[in-house]
Amino acid sequence: MPIVLLKEGTTETKGNQAQRNNITAAKTIAEIVRTSLGPRGMDKMLVNNIGDVTITNDGATILKEIDVQHPAAKMMVEISKATDNEVGDGTTSTVVLAGSLLSKAEELIAKNVHPTVIVDGYRMASEKAIEILKNASTKVDPADRQILGKVARTSMASKLVSVNAEPLSKIVVDAVIAIAEKTSDNSLKVDPDSIKVEKKAGGSIEDTKLIQGIVLDKEVVHGAMPKRIEDAKIALLNAALEIEKTEMSAEIRISDPQQMQMFLEEENRMLKSMVDKISASGANVLLCQKGIDDLAQHYLAKEGILAVRRVKESDMNNLAKATEGRVLFNIDELSGADLGYAKLVEERKVETDKWVFVEGCKNPKAVSILVRGGSQRVVDEAERSVHDAVMVVKDVVEYPYITVGAGAPEVYISQKIREWSASLSGRSQLAVERFADSVEEIAIALAENAGMDPLDTQTQLRAKAALAKPKYGVDVINGKVADMAAKDIYEPLKVKEQVISAATEASSMILRIDDVIAASKSKESAPPPGGGMGGMGGMGGPNPYMDM
Ligand code: ADP
Ligand code: MG
């Protein structure tokens, strides 16, 4: 009699079978994104269940959009997300590397190397790899616009916007430098939320602009208000210009018309006094997070004040940083000292919308990038590329080390790790060697995607890798191995470190699993009759699979 431990309908997959399933699922994910790696990588067209189309080359976006079911595949999706959040770039590389680490591990498992040995070997190798690369990277001046520009351009090289990388990278570098703040230990800190990226389809990518201030996708609230104010003194208010309605349902009985009149007049007087306070502070622009009553709008217009209502909280924070004003919660506290400044506040037409531009701020600590492009899909992808570029520039500003890209650092690491592995003994050496092979796969994938011969490229790269620093990489544009420093292909060391550590972590996590116990989800996915714990072991019953 078998002892039943698990609830009916639960499936358990054990040992080799569980491992094989997980590795296969994760590898499948890696294969999907592999062809999109690098400037010659292909884009993916993703259609979601309501028919929306996304065209992208961004690893994290691809994986976000496809609906992955298998738990191991989900882990791959998660590392690409984590990499996106941490460093903003290298998402495809992370997944490709994790995939090749797993497929090399599979070979070792087939030779009876225990997964724990592989995991240990990978961990040692990844630490060594990061150390090797750090020693071979170049320290830069975090305020060097030229270097930052090169890094930004490299991140855009693999995207749809690559033809416009020059002007876009300049915008991104200017934006990041504007908002970078010195910390107490004299390093720089960049808060990417201080760069508001607003997008609008129409025009072309070249029309993308940096605004020294904030763009609000809102219009001026009242038709009689001015649409343009120079030398704007801006009140930032997080309070309603309305008479508060009571929470309880109160009833006011009015017996004669005069009472009604008095009641309205009182309301009127209160609104007027609110507007008077704003006007008395010297403000000529009011940006309000809450509502503005019709009558208050009328009084504001009479005072010649330009007002916008229901501004988002994140915009209010950025407005305070850009204009050096203070967001107040109470109109009574408003004084001239709280007002922000902008050279110009103006409502402009952007395609069919009317937006308010708060610009020409002195030394703004928050700025906007208004992304334009021929169609919605183009601006969507351009926005993602701008985000990536902002992040890589941030990476270098905060951690000022760079390395040549284009597969050069990967080949370099792999060479050095192979040399180092000779000093190791035991089976973990095998794992370390496999790690070296896996890292090299990035360069091979770049070459393959450019239609180059992977073996030829590999041998040429290996022949050139004996230098003190990574230098020769896959010149995918000209289809040959070349000095990539001469081509200005530079990447943040931080991205490379994240790629290695995230990929190692994910592959180790997957390798350590030898037992998958899955509760039955619903009726349809319940196992066939007879499939209890006893029957399923080692057979790999109805495992969760990828559903795309
Ligand atoms: P990820 O999501 O990993 O950033 P990408 O598709 O952006 O993937 O490709 C990044 C890879 O492309 C990096 O290894 C980078 O060095 C390389 N790369 C960028 N520009 C070039 C270039 N002009 N020639 C060759 N490789 C390049
Ligand atoms: Mg990239």
Side-chain angles (χ1 to χ4, degrees):
M1 266 287 276
I3 304 170
V4 179
L5 277 180
L6 302 173
K7 208 171 137 189
E8 196 183 345
T10 306
T11 60
E12 187 186 24
T13 323
K14 271 171 131 13
N16 272 344
Q17 185 63 41
Q19 225 145 35
R20 222 172 302 140
N21 288 344
N22 283 339
I23 293 176
T24 308
K27 269 172 35 187
T28 312
I29 293 291
E31 269 152 33
I32 293 172
V33 296
R34 184 185 168 101
T35 56
S36 73
L37 183 74
R40 283 301 176 91
M42 306 298 275
D43 292 349
K44 306 280 171 189
M45 179 188 259
L46 307 158
V47 187
N48 71 7
N49 53 7
I50 54 166
D52 280 346
V53 175
T54 305
I55 297 175
T56 185
N57 168 283
D58 189 73
T61 310
I62 297 168
L63 295 182
K64 203 157 49 194
E65 293 287 329
I66 56 180
D67 187 10
V68 169
Q69 298 261 309
H70 194 285
K74 275 194 181 147
M75 281 159 78
M76 299 289 270
V77 177
E78 273 155 28
I79 49 161
S80 87
K81 259 193 224 155
T83 301
D84 199 28
N85 292 338
E86 282 291 315
V87 296
D89 198 13
T91 53
T92 315
S93 309
T94 308
V95 175
V96 171
L97 179 56
S100 51
L101 285 170
L102 285 168
S103 92
K104 308 281 174 197
E106 214 174 17
E107 294 168 22
L108 289 180
I109 293 171
K111 290 184 184 157
N112 275 328
V113 179
H114 197 273
T116 331
V117 176
I118 304 175
V119 167
D120 284 348
Y122 278 3
R123 185 183 39 79
M124 272 162 46
S126 74
E127 282 164 10
K128 189 74 186 171
I130 289 173
E131 182 193 317
I132 289 168
L133 196 58
K134 172 101 197 244
N135 290 332
S137 64
T138 309
K139 187 159 200 298
V140 296
D141 170 6
D144 186 335
R145 284 171 196 263
Q146 258 195 327
I147 298 276
L148 298 176
K150 288 174 189 177
V151 173
R153 278 201 298 279
T154 301
S155 86
M156 290 184 188
S158 51
K159 304 283 188 274
L160 191 92
V161 298
S162 59
V163 274
N164 305 100
E166 186 70 43
L168 285 182
S169 63
K170 198 175 165 311
I171 289 174
V172 166
V173 169
D174 287 345
V176 175
I177 287 188
I179 58 123
E181 291 190 81
K182 273 227 159 59
T183 58
S184 49
D185 61 348
N186 239 350
S187 56
L188 290 165
K189 183 104 196 98
V190 173
D191 178 3
D193 290 341
S194 300
I195 300 177
K196 181 180 184 195
V197 183
E198 191 66 75
K199 59 183 172 183
K200 189 83 202 166
S204 74
I205 293 181
E206 283 132 60
D207 302 323
T208 299
K209 274 202 183 66
L210 173 65
I211 287 121
Q212 301 288 342
I214 302 298
V215 179
L216 300 170
D217 57 342
K218 294 259 156 39
E219 54 184 54
V220 171
V221 71
H222 192 278
M225 285 177 179
K227 297 289 174 339
R228 179 188 165 92
I229 300 241
E230 283 177 35
D231 275 324
K233 295 179 190 62
I234 304 164
L236 300 170
L237 201 60
N238 182 6
L241 256 71
E242 288 166 336
I243 305 299
E244 253 175 73
K245 308 277 182 290
T246 48
E247 290 282 314
M248 300 165 287
S249 59
E251 198 174 309
I252 303 171
R253 282 176 196 276
I254 292 173
S255 44
D256 68 302
Q258 204 139 24
Q259 264 178 312
M260 180 69 191
Q261 187 65 23
M262 269 169 58
F263 186 73
L264 290 177
E265 265 167 23
E266 177 58 16
E267 263 200 18
N268 199 333
R269 201 191 52 74
M270 283 162 75
L271 289 169
K272 176 84 169 60
S273 108
M274 288 180 188
V275 171
D276 286 345
K277 280 173 196 150
I278 291 164
S279 166
S281 74
N284 49 16
V285 172
L286 168 67
L287 303 175
C288 184
Q289 195 175 328
K290 300 272 168 64
I292 304 177
D293 186 280
D294 287 355
L295 205 55
Q297 290 174 22
H298 165 77
Y299 287 129
L300 285 165
K302 268 174 97 177
E303 295 288 336
I305 294 174
L306 181 162
V308 180
R309 69 174 163 184
R310 304 209 186 284
V311 177
K312 273 189 293 207
E313 187 172 358
S314 56
D315 285 341
M316 289 302 278
N317 291 337
N318 278 337
L319 281 163
K321 287 191 204 162
T323 65
E324 292 182 86
R326 204 153 73 92
V327 180
L328 289 179
F329 293 82
N330 185 348
I331 296 184
D332 296 333
E333 290 170 10
L334 184 67
S335 79
D338 301 314
L339 301 180
Y341 175 83
K343 205 157 185 303
L344 180 65
V345 174
E346 185 177 34
E347 181 187 272
R348 284 182 212 144
K349 240 178 139 178
V350 182
E351 298 304 307
T352 50
D353 292 349
K354 288 177 189 159
W355 285 358
V356 171
F357 289 68
V358 179
E359 64 185 16
C361 299
K362 281 187 249 161
N363 201 8
K365 285 293 161 217
V367 295
S368 307
I369 297 176
L370 178 54
V371 177
R372 305 301 309 272
S375 73
Q376 193 57 43
R377 270 158 221 148
V378 171
V379 282
D380 287 347
E381 180 71 347
E383 182 202 20
R384 284 189 286 271
S385 310
V386 164
H387 161 260
D388 284 12
V390 165
M391 289 296 285
V392 292
V393 174
K394 164 188 152 80
D395 292 339
V396 177
V397 167
E398 292 182 344
Y399 184 58
Y401 294 89
I402 59 169
T403 157
V404 174
E410 286 82 4
V411 175
Y412 180 85
I413 289 173
S414 125
Q415 194 91 343
K416 296 284 170 204
I417 291 278
R418 242 178 247 124
E419 283 169 29
W420 172 68
S421 76
S423 69
L424 303 170
S425 58
R427 293 193 157 197
S428 59
Q429 187 192 24
L430 294 176
V432 170
E433 278 167 3
R434 290 301 197 281
F435 182 92
D437 295 345
S438 306
V439 175
E440 206 175 27
E441 277 293 315
I442 300 262
I444 296 174
L446 281 172
E448 271 175 10
N449 290 347
M452 295 161 68
D453 184 85
L455 261 177
D456 277 359
T457 313
Q458 188 181 20
T459 35
Q460 284 182 42
L461 281 170
R462 283 189 179 183
K464 301 262 192 197
L467 300 165
K469 276 186 180 206
K471 193 170 159 83
Y472 284 88
V474 190
D475 178 358
V476 297
I477 309 298
N478 301 305
K480 56 178 196 229
V481 168
D483 174 358
M484 297 315 282
K487 306 230 174 252
D488 287 342
I489 304 301
Y490 285 106
E491 290 192 85
L493 176 62
K494 193 161 174 199
V495 171
K496 294 286 149 188
E497 287 184 356
Q498 166 74 18
V499 168
I500 292 170
S501 57
T504 309
E505 206 175 287
S507 56
S508 303
M509 210 146 55
I510 291 172
L511 285 173
R512 273 208 200 93
I513 299 167
D514 76 339
D515 205 348
V516 176
I517 303 168
S520 72
K521 273 205 191 125
S522 59
K523 283 250 157 50
E524 313 101 79
S525 64
M533 176 184 162
M536 298 315 301
M539 282 177 44
N543 271 293
Y545 55 93
M546 271 180 37
D547 174 22
M548 296 187 317

